[in-house]
Each structure stands twice: as structure tokens, then as C-alpha cells.
Amino acid sequence: ATWDYAGKISTTTVWADDAAPAGATLAGTGEGWSWVSSNPAPFSGALAHQSALLSGMHQHYFYNATTRLSVAAGDTLFAYVYLDPANPPREVMLHWYDGSWEHTAYWGANLIGYGTDGTVSRRYMGPLPAAGQWVRLAVPASQVGLEGHTLSGMGYTLYDGRATWDYAGKVSTSTVWVDDAVPAGAAV
């Protein structure tokens, strides 16, 4: 038998794992960066970063990374989160920076006033993920206006409670449906 090219390929690009990307400036509002190796154990690698346990809006973020993340059409952005089961937040929000922070997705209650709800600057993605376990938050780049953009920052924002964050980046999918012929009307 001789075969040639066919189906789909997914490629994961990890942008942040065990540290912020190279060259990044670390900052926060109400909290700083706190790296942990337990409680919970990281999803990937040796370290994860954990928010402070606070009421109201609090966040930590990085920007001006020299290791940037290029986002293509069809890419999905992701980050892993572990919500503290004893102190779950009421809202979880991710931001991406491409020269503007107006690229935001959130889960849970609509309590953080960044952006305009229902637009790429504040896109509702569903209810809060389950607490007490690692969950992958995934956002199609098109939903937050980032296809064709290059990222140099990312933010992790909560309303109330505490969460631990790990392993963030993008998934790219290429589709080749056979190669030098067939599908179209198929039946050969």
C-alpha cells in the first residue's frame, strides 16, 4: 500500500510554564506574583502561580515579554486554572496584551468592569469551571479579536477568592484533507 498526506494536525505552543515568558515585566493589582510548588501541585512542570486570597477584583499579569506569541487564524488560546474549593472566586478573567489589553474572556459572574460585555474586549465564555481540580480554559482567538496578532502580555484576574494558574499558550490546528486529489465530491 502507498499512502500520502491526509487529516488534521494540532500543535500546542506553551508560552508560560514555570515562569513568565523571557523579558516579561511582572505586575499586579492588589497582589503580586506568587510561585508555588504545592497546594495544589502544578498541572505541568515544577511551579504554578497563585493569586492572593482577597475580596473584590485582584489580578497579576505580565507585559512586554521579549518571547512573544504569534496568533494565527483558527488558533485557540488557553490557560490551566485550579479554583480554591474552600475560597472559589465569583469570576475568572483572562486578558491578552498586543499593545492593548482590550482582549478579554471571562467565566462566571459579570463583576469585573474591563471592556464592553459581548465584544472582543469582554467575552463571556460560560460558568465557572469546577473547583478543586485543574481545568483548561480555552478561548478561540477570534472571540477576543486576536487572530493575526502578536502577544507580549497576559493577565489573570479574579473577583473574590483564590485560584492557581499554570501552563498557558495556544493550540494551532492545520487541516489537510488528503493532498493531491480526492475529497471534493469523493466517492472513488
Side-chain angles (χ1 to χ4, degrees), residues 50-137:
Q50 190 171 75
S51 71
L53 176 54
L54 297 170
S55 295
M57 194 281 292
H58 52 106
Q59 65 183 341
H60 60 279
Y61 54 94
F62 66 85
Y63 60 96
N64 291 339
T66 53
T67 299
R68 296 176 184 234
L69 185 67
S70 295
V71 182
D75 284 356
T76 297
L77 303 167
F78 71 86
Y80 279 81
V81 67
Y82 181 103
L83 303 185
D84 182 336
N87 303 286
R90 292 170 51 200
E91 181 179 1
V92 171
M93 183 176 272
L94 290 172
H95 313 265
W96 292 272
Y97 184 73
D98 68 345
S100 163
W101 285 107
E102 294 294 312
H103 308 281
T104 303
Y106 73 96
W107 294 258
N110 184 8
L111 301 168
I112 301 168
Y114 293 143
T116 301
D117 198 32
T119 71
V120 299
S121 68
R122 188 165 88 218
R123 181 75 63 198
Y124 177 68
M125 299 304 294
L128 284 174
Q133 63 188 18
W134 284 104
V135 176
R136 183 180 124 167
L137 300 178

Side-chain angles (χ1 to χ4, degrees), residues 143-170:
Q143 292 288 301
V144 289
L146 287 172
E147 289 183 323
H149 292 234
T150 300
L151 308 180
S152 64
M154 187 170 178
Y156 307 85
T157 306
L158 301 178
Y159 195 95
D160 292 340
R162 178 172 45 208
T164 305
W165 303 90
D166 202 2
Y167 199 68
K170 70 173 185 170

